[in-house]
Amino acid sequence: MVDVLERASVLEDMLKAKGVSKYAIDVSEGEMHELNTELSNFTLYRTIFSNSASVVVYIDNKKGSASGNSLLDEDLQQLVDDACSGAESAVADEANDIAPYQEPEVFHTGPYEPDMDRFYDRMEEMLTSIEQEYPKILLMQTIGSYTKSHSVYANSNGTRFESFDGVYNVGLEFAGNDGERTTGINGASVCMHDLDTPILDLSLLRTMLSNTQDSLYVVPMGEKFEGTVIFDPNATGSFVDMLVENFMSSTVIVEGTSLWLDKVGEQVSHESVTLRLQSQDERLVVQSPVTEDGYRAQNVTLIENGVLQSHLLSLYASRKTGRPVTKNSGSCYVLEPGNTPYKELLSGVKRGLLVGWFSGGRPGVNGEFSGVAKSSFYIENGEIKGTVMETMINGNLADVFKNVTGISSELYSDGIMAFPYVRVEGITISGA
Amino acid sequence: MLEDIISPCKADFAEGVQTVLRGHENRSRRVVLLKGNLVQNSRNSSSGISARVTKGGRNGFSSIGSYTPEAARSVLAAATENALFLDARAKEPGITFPAQPSGLITPHRDIIDFEQKRFIDACREVDAYIEKTYPNLISRRIIYTEDSQDKIIVTSDAASGHVTYPRCYIYVMLTAESKAGVPVELFRAFGGAGSFEDNFSNLESMYPEIDNLYGKLMDKAEGVYAEAGTKTVILGGMMGGMLAHEAVGHTVEADLVIGGSVAGPNLGKRVASDLVSLVDYAHTAFGEEAPLPVFLDDEGVIARDVTLIENGILKGYMNNRDTAERFGMEACGNARAWEFTDEPLIRMRNTAVLPGTSTLEEMIASIDDGYYLIDSGNGQADLTGEFMFGVTLGYEIKKGKLGRALLDTTVSGIAFEMLKSVDMVSNNITWSSSGFCGKKQPMPVGMAGPEMRCKITIGGR
C-alpha cells in the first residue's frame, strides 16, 4: 500500500524546491484483476499492481511534462527534473495554463474491493448461457476485469481532487459460426459497479449476439443505390466520435480547418439531435469528475435541437483561439433518445441498411467518409431481408447528422456512453 | 538499460509449473508542433517485473511496478496462486508445453536517451523549412515520437536473454485547400529502428521527400473522387504491406485460427495466385536486418521466420507455445508483450509479401482504365479476411498512363479472393515500421509489400 496523499505532497515539495510556481500533478495507485477465456475456457488470470505519477510544469509560459510508474523519491525527483528540462527547451506560449482554484473534493465511485469468486461465477454463468442460447456463436475471447484506483490531482493554484474508483468490465469477442460459414468478428463490452445482474442481461449484449448469429446467411443486395441507413447504437457512437473529432475538437479549431469553426449558435444538424458530454449521469457507470486541465467537470451540451452550442476545447485551445473552454475532457457521450420506437424506425425504411458497426478510416477534415458496413442487414419495405457482405457506405459526416429522420426511444449504454438507434437518409450504399 | 537482477530468482520458481519471469522497461518521448505551436512535450517511462506461471496450460500472471528481487518473488507467488485458482476450477485436464531449446540470447542495441531539447529543436527546424518553403499550406503538424522496450527474460524450460527494441520517427502532416475549398491532407513518416542519432543526424536529407509530399498534396488538391465499383488497380508497396498485415497476417495468427478465422479450413490450399508468397520475418530479411528485428520472444522462444503463403498455397500459422502444441506446428518466437503489465500474445513481427519480376512502369502501362493506389492511412480486417483500407494517395490510370490524383477513398475486399486476382507483382518492396498493431495491447510491427496488380472494390461517390 502506498500513501498516495503523502506521495503527492512529496512531489509538490520537490517542485516548489525547484522554484516551479506553476504546475499540475497526478499521483495514483491501482490494482487490476482480470479473468480471460478462450473458446469459453478460462485460460489466464492476471493480477496487476501499478502506480503512476505525472508532472506538468510551466516555466515562463513554456510547458514540459513527464510521467512514470515509480513513486520512489529518486524517481519522482527524476520526473520533476525531466519536466523542467523539457519546459526550459520548449517554446513560450501564452496559451499554456492550468485551471484556476477549484474547491477540494473527494470522489467515490464503485466498489473498492472486488469479489472475484462471484465475478468468476457470473462469467461462467454468461459462458454457459451463450453456449445454450446462441449455439451458432463462437465465443473467441472474453476478458472480465475489475480495476480500482486511488488518485490525487493537485495544482499550484491550490486545487486538490482525490478519487477512489472501482469498476468491473466485461469484453467479448465473438463470431457467428455454423461449422461451414463464419461471420466477421464482432465485439461488445459493458461496465458495471455491482454483480447483481447476469452479465448477458446488460446493455445490447443479447441483441449483438443474436444479430451476429443471424449474419451467417448473406443475401444479395444488387447495384449501388442511395438509401436509408439505421445506425445501431454502437455505430451511432462511432459516428458521434468522428463528428466531434472532425468538427469540434481542439486540434481542428486551433488549426482552423473545422468546417464548423464559426457555427456556434447555428443549426448544424437535424433538430432532433441533442448531444451531451456528461461527467455525471445516472445512465452511465463511468464518471469523469475532473478535466485534464484541472476543472471540476461539468455536464456540457454540445448540440441542442440541432444547434451547435459549443466546441470541445481544452484550456490551451480556448486561450489560443479566444473561445470558451469546455469544462469536460470529453468521453462520456449521450445522444438523447427520440420518440420513435426502433421497430417504427425500421418499418419506415423503403430500401436501405441496418448498420452494426462501421469499419472505415477516420474521415478527412472535409467529413467525407467511406467504409465497410459490418454486422449489417439489408432492409426492404420495412423488413430485414438478411445480412450483407462486402458492402460499403459513403457520405459526408456533417450531412449524416443533417439528414436524420428518426431517433429511437430506446437508449443503450455500455456504462461509458449511451446512444439510441438513428435513421439517416441519403447514404450511398454499394455492395455485392 | 536494465541490469540483470532477476536471473538469481530462478531459484524461486515453483516445482511442477512452467515459469517465465520478465524484467521490462518501456520509454516514450513525444513532441507535437501544430502550426508551429508546441502542443505536446512529454516523456514517459514505466518499468517493472512480471511472472507468468502455467499449470496444465492455464496461465497465472502477475506484475508489479518495481524492479527488485523482492518484487520478482512477490509476482512469482501471485502468478502461481492465480494459476492454481484456475487449475482448481478447471473441468478438464490441460496440456503441458514441450520444452524449448535453451540458450542465452543477447543481441546488442543500446537505448540511447537524449534531452527533450534535441527533439523540439529538430521538429522546429523541419517546421521552419515547411513554413518558409510552402506558405500556402493551411496547416502543418510535425510529430516526433520515440518508443523503446528493454527486456530481461528468464525461463524455466526455454531460452533466456536480454533484448532491446528502440525506434523513433518524425511524422510530417501537411494540409492544403482543395479546388472546392475544403481541406485535404497527406502525411509521411521518417525514421525507423534505433535512436534519434541513428535516424535524424541530418534533417536536410528529409527535405526532398517533404518536397515530394507537397507535390503530391498539390495533385490531391486538384483531385477527383474515385468511381465506385470493382476496378483493376495497382496496390502500392505501402498498401501491399497493409494487406500483408491486416487482411492476411491476422487471419493466420493461430489464436485467431482457433477463433474461427478463414485460414483454418484453408491450410494447405490455394489462397492466392502463384505470384504471391508471404513471410513473417524474425530479424533478417533479404540479407539485411529487418526493420524491427525480434530475436527472442516473451515465452523464451528463439525467433525464426515463418512462411505463411508460398506460391499461393497457405503453408502455416504464427504460434505461441500453446497453439504450436495444439496445431502440431513449431513456435517461432511470435509471443510478445508490450509493457511489463502485459502477458505475451501472438503478434506479427516483419510481415512481407515477397517481390516479383515486373516493373512498376510495365504494370501502369498494362492498365487501360484503373487506379494506382499508393498510400493508406489505416486499415482493418476481420476473421473472414474481409478488409477495408483507407486510401490517402492515389491516381487514375487511363490508357496506360497516370492521370488525376484521387481524393480520400476506401478499398475493400475478401483477402483470399482478392489475392487470387493478383497477376503482376513488382520487383521491389516498400517497408513501413512506424505503426502500432492493436490486439488487446499495442505492438510495433514492420510490414512490406511490392506493387501488385489486382481487382478490388473501391468506394467513391
Side-chain angles (χ1 to χ4, degrees):
Chain A
M1 287 286 287
V2 172
D3 184 340
V4 173
L5 288 170
E6 186 269 341
R7 292 286 87 192
S9 294
V10 167
L11 189 52
E12 287 195 84
D13 288 344
M14 289 173 175
L15 286 158
K16 287 170 187 164
K18 189 104 177 171
V20 178
S21 57
K22 185 181 281 192
Y23 61 81
I25 64 163
D26 252 307
V27 178
S28 76
E29 177 192 41
E31 197 174 305
M32 184 179 80
H33 300 264
E34 184 187 85
L35 291 164
N36 290 247
T37 75
E38 277 177 26
L39 297 182
S40 302
N41 297 309
F42 286 90
T43 55
L44 172 67
Y45 182 3
R46 201 158 73 109
T47 303
I48 290 170
F49 306 96
S50 60
N51 301 320
S52 70
S54 68
V55 181
V56 184
V57 303
Y58 303 82
I59 300 171
D60 300 331
N61 291 326
K62 297 188 288 187
K63 179 181 175 183
S65 64
S67 58
N69 74 326
S70 169
L71 302 185
L72 298 174
D73 281 357
E74 60 267 33
D75 294 318
L76 293 180
Q77 186 63 56
Q78 185 65 50
L79 289 187
V80 170
D81 294 346
D82 280 353
C84 289
S85 151
E88 281 155 8
S89 310
V91 185
D93 190 334
E94 290 186 355
N96 285 322
D97 205 355
I98 51 175
Y101 171 75
Q102 311 279 292
E103 286 290 330
E105 270 190 81
V106 180
F107 308 101
H108 293 267
T109 54
Y112 204 62
E113 287 301 329
D115 184 341
M116 291 307 292
D117 283 312
R118 193 166 182 220
F119 193 31
Y120 184 98
D121 291 343
R122 278 290 184 215
M123 294 270 293
E124 194 168 48
E125 169 192 68
M126 178 188 74
L127 299 175
T128 304
S129 298
I130 290 173
E131 199 171 307
Q132 290 173 350
E133 297 173 39
Y134 304 94
K136 292 176 186 167
I137 287 293
L138 185 71
L139 191 56
M140 301 161 57
Q141 185 180 52
T142 61
I143 301 174
S145 63
Y146 166 82
T147 310
K148 74 172 184 182
S149 71
H150 174 203
S151 61
V152 171
Y153 168 89
N155 67 29
S156 51
N157 288 334
T159 300
R160 181 173 285 245
F161 294 123
E162 186 179 3
S163 301
F164 296 85
D165 302 309
V167 66
Y168 294 95
N169 179 278
V170 177
L172 300 86
E173 271 188 12
F174 48 92
N177 191 306
D178 66 359
E180 291 180 8
R181 303 174 189 82
T182 187
T183 69
I185 195 167
N186 213 339
S189 72
V190 62
C191 297
M192 65 216 105
H193 276 158
D194 61 57
L195 299 169
D196 296 343
T197 308
I199 295 166
L200 212 48
D201 292 345
L202 297 169
S203 189
L204 262 182
L205 296 186
R206 284 186 182 281
T207 302
M208 293 182 72
L209 289 165
S210 179
N211 282 350
T212 302
Q213 204 168 234
D214 292 342
S215 298
L216 282 163
Y217 308 104
V218 177
V219 294
M221 201 182 56
E223 292 295 302
K224 179 173 86 169
F225 64 99
E226 188 173 296
T228 306
V229 163
I230 297 178
F231 292 109
D232 92 355
N234 289 307
T236 298
S238 299
F239 275 80
V240 164
D241 186 51
M242 293 191 290
L243 184 82
V244 172
E245 186 69 28
N246 257 55
F247 301 135
M248 303 154 81
S249 67
S250 291
T251 299
V252 292
I253 300 301
V254 170
E255 279 188 315
T257 53
S258 166
L259 298 184
W260 289 3
L261 192 62
D262 298 310
K263 299 278 188 186
V264 173
E266 295 184 24
Q267 196 85 28
V268 292
S269 300
H270 188 267
E271 61 188 19
S272 60
V273 174
T274 293
L275 175 63
R276 304 187 199 283
L277 260 175
Q278 302 295 85
S279 64
Q280 288 184 301
D281 189 308
E282 61 185 15
R283 296 169 292 187
L284 306 176
V285 171
V286 173
Q287 299 179 5
S288 309
V290 181
T291 77
E292 289 169 10
D293 294 315
Y295 286 103
R296 172 72 170 92
Q298 298 176 359
N299 290 344
V300 173
T301 300
L302 295 173
I303 298 172
E304 186 153 37
N305 300 327
V307 176
L308 182 63
Q309 303 293 315
S310 169
H311 296 127
L312 177 54
L313 298 186
S314 65
L315 181 59
Y316 174 84
S318 158
R319 288 167 61 87
K320 198 75 187 168
T321 60
R323 298 161 189 261
V325 64
T326 312
K327 293 176 184 174
N328 191 308
S329 291
S331 58
C332 300
Y333 294 112
V334 176
L335 185 68
E336 294 295 346
N339 300 316
T340 313
Y342 161 68
K343 285 191 175 169
E344 278 185 36
L345 286 185
L346 181 65
S347 66
V349 177
K350 191 174 175 191
R351 193 175 180 213
L353 285 183
L354 169 63
V355 174
W357 63 280
F358 174 73
S359 172
R362 187 165 283 283
V365 282
N366 57 14
E368 292 294 315
F369 70 86
S370 67
V372 181
K374 308 289 288 186
S375 295
S376 297
F377 298 86
Y378 179 53
I379 308 168
E380 210 172 77
N381 297 322
E383 284 185 14
I384 288 179
K385 297 293 184 186
T387 194
V388 295
M389 280 283 281
E390 294 188 76
T391 297
M392 298 187 79
I393 54 175
N394 308 309
N396 184 280
L397 199 50
D399 292 344
V400 164
F401 288 86
K402 281 180 188 159
N403 297 334
V404 169
T405 57
I407 296 181
S408 75
S409 49
E410 298 92 343
L411 184 75
Y412 293 92
S413 170
D414 60 3
I416 300 172
M417 300 181 246
F419 299 106
Y421 289 89
V422 176
R423 190 176 68 192
V424 176
E425 303 296 331
I427 302 289
T428 303
I429 300 167
S430 49
Chain B
M1 301 282 288
L2 290 173
E3 284 181 35
D4 183 7
I5 57 156
I6 64 171
S7 287
C9 300
K10 198 166 176 176
D12 298 298
F13 287 9
E15 294 290 328
V17 296
Q18 296 175 292
T19 302
V20 180
L21 186 65
R22 172 162 41 98
H24 189 152
E25 180 174 62
N26 281 38
R27 287 184 188 172
S28 66
R29 312 294 184 232
R30 191 170 170 88
V31 168
V32 180
L33 281 183
L34 174 61
K35 284 178 92 168
N37 300 301
L38 182 68
V39 296
Q40 195 171 353
N41 177 21
S42 61
R43 298 166 77 86
N44 176 268
S45 65
S46 66
S47 63
I49 301 179
S50 72
R52 193 186 75 173
V53 173
T54 307
K55 183 168 175 56
R58 297 174 189 90
N59 300 300
F61 182 94
S62 182
S63 69
I64 192 165
S66 174
Y67 190 66
T68 63
E70 295 73 33
R73 281 190 276 275
S74 73
V75 293
L76 282 168
T80 303
E81 189 179 322
N82 287 352
L84 296 177
F85 177 95
L86 293 183
D87 193 56
R89 287 163 174 76
K91 296 183 176 67
E92 294 173 5
I95 58 172
T96 300
F97 310 147
Q100 287 286 317
S102 59
L104 187 64
I105 307 298
T106 55
H108 182 76
R109 179 164 235 156
D110 283 342
I111 297 173
I112 303 169
D113 206 6
F114 292 92
E115 287 189 349
Q116 200 78 353
K117 185 173 190 313
R118 291 289 300 276
F119 314 142
I120 296 170
D121 288 349
C123 288
R124 292 182 71 187
E125 190 175 327
V126 173
D127 186 66
Y129 171 78
I130 295 169
E131 184 182 27
K132 181 182 165 195
T133 315
Y134 303 114
N136 59 326
L137 293 173
I138 60 174
S139 188
R140 59 193 191 276
R141 269 180 257 181
I142 314 296
I143 299 173
Y144 176 77
T145 177
E146 173 184 316
D147 57 71
S148 66
Q149 295 176 293
D150 184 357
K151 302 177 181 182
I152 294 176
I153 295 156
V154 181
T155 70
S156 62
D157 59 345
S160 298
H162 188 172
V163 291
T164 54
Y165 302 116
R167 62 174 192 162
C168 58
Y169 300 88
I170 291 178
Y171 289 89
V172 174
M173 302 178 177
L174 307 180
T175 308
E177 195 168 80
S178 77
K179 62 184 179 186
V182 295
V184 292
E185 301 167 298
L186 278 180
F187 81 95
R188 162 92 203 255
F190 299 85
S195 68
F196 180 86
E197 274 296 327
D198 295 330
N199 288 289
F200 302 116
S201 57
N202 176 14
L203 292 172
E204 289 185 8
S205 66
M206 294 166 55
Y207 296 167
E209 288 299 322
I210 292 174
D211 296 343
N212 187 32
L213 184 71
Y214 174 81
K216 296 279 193 294
L217 182 66
M218 291 300 102
D219 291 345
K220 188 172 173 180
E222 300 287 320
V224 296
Y225 286 109
E227 188 183 326
T230 301
K231 300 287 179 185
T232 299
V233 305
I234 298 170
L235 292 183
M238 299 289 276
M239 299 283 293
M242 185 78 86
L243 186 84
H245 177 92
E246 293 288 353
V248 183
H250 281 301
T251 69
V252 291
E253 291 171 332
D255 51 345
L256 297 186
V257 174
I258 291 168
S261 93
V262 68
N266 279 298
L267 189 64
K269 296 182 182 172
R270 177 163 296 284
V271 296
S273 83
D274 56 12
L275 297 179
V276 177
S277 294
L278 179 69
V279 175
D280 182 54
Y281 291 101
H283 47 76
T284 307
F286 310 107
E288 297 180 351
E289 188 171 86
L292 300 175
V294 174
F295 298 93
L296 176 72
D297 81 359
D298 297 329
E299 292 186 313
V301 176
I302 298 169
R304 289 176 291 144
D305 302 341
V306 184
T307 297
L308 301 166
I309 298 174
E310 190 169 63
N311 301 327
I313 307 297
L314 183 60
K315 290 288 188 181
Y317 305 143
M318 290 169 280
N319 288 283
N320 58 21
R321 292 180 68 181
D322 180 16
T323 62
E325 179 65 7
R326 291 198 226 180
F327 284 111
M329 296 179 177
E330 292 187 339
C332 291
N334 287 93
R336 300 196 286 151
W338 168 237
E339 287 207 78
F340 75 93
T341 54
D342 292 326
E343 76 280 18
L345 304 175
I346 297 173
R347 310 306 296 255
M348 284 171 258
R349 297 161 305 184
N350 301 280
T351 314
V353 177
L354 305 193
T357 56
S358 301
T359 65
L360 176 60
E361 293 72 26
E362 289 168 352
M363 294 168 74
I364 292 171
S366 72
I367 294 177
D368 190 52
D369 182 16
Y371 297 109
Y372 177 31
L373 306 176
I374 299 171
D375 215 343
S376 175
N378 58 9
Q380 296 174 357
D382 71 19
L383 290 177
T384 62
E386 184 174 23
F387 64 86
M388 177 294 305
F389 301 149
V391 180
T392 54
L393 177 62
Y395 288 86
E396 296 174 322
I397 302 176
K398 299 286 185 191
K399 299 187 187 330
K401 294 191 183 319
L402 290 183
R404 296 170 296 181
L406 300 179
L407 295 168
D408 288 346
T409 186
T410 305
V411 292
S412 67
I414 307 289
F416 287 168
E417 297 304 317
M418 171 262 162
L419 284 173
K420 287 174 187 162
S421 75
V422 173
D423 58 4
M424 293 180 87
V425 177
S426 77
N427 56 8
N428 64 307
I429 61 167
T430 307
W431 282 103
S432 66
S433 63
S434 62
F436 281 97
C437 171
K439 181 182 171 185
K440 191 179 180 189
Q441 310 155 16
M443 184 58 68
V445 289
M447 58 185 86
E451 279 94 12
M452 288 184 281
R453 193 178 90 152
C454 59
K455 291 202 184 306
I456 206 164
T457 304
I458 189 163
R461 283 294 210 172

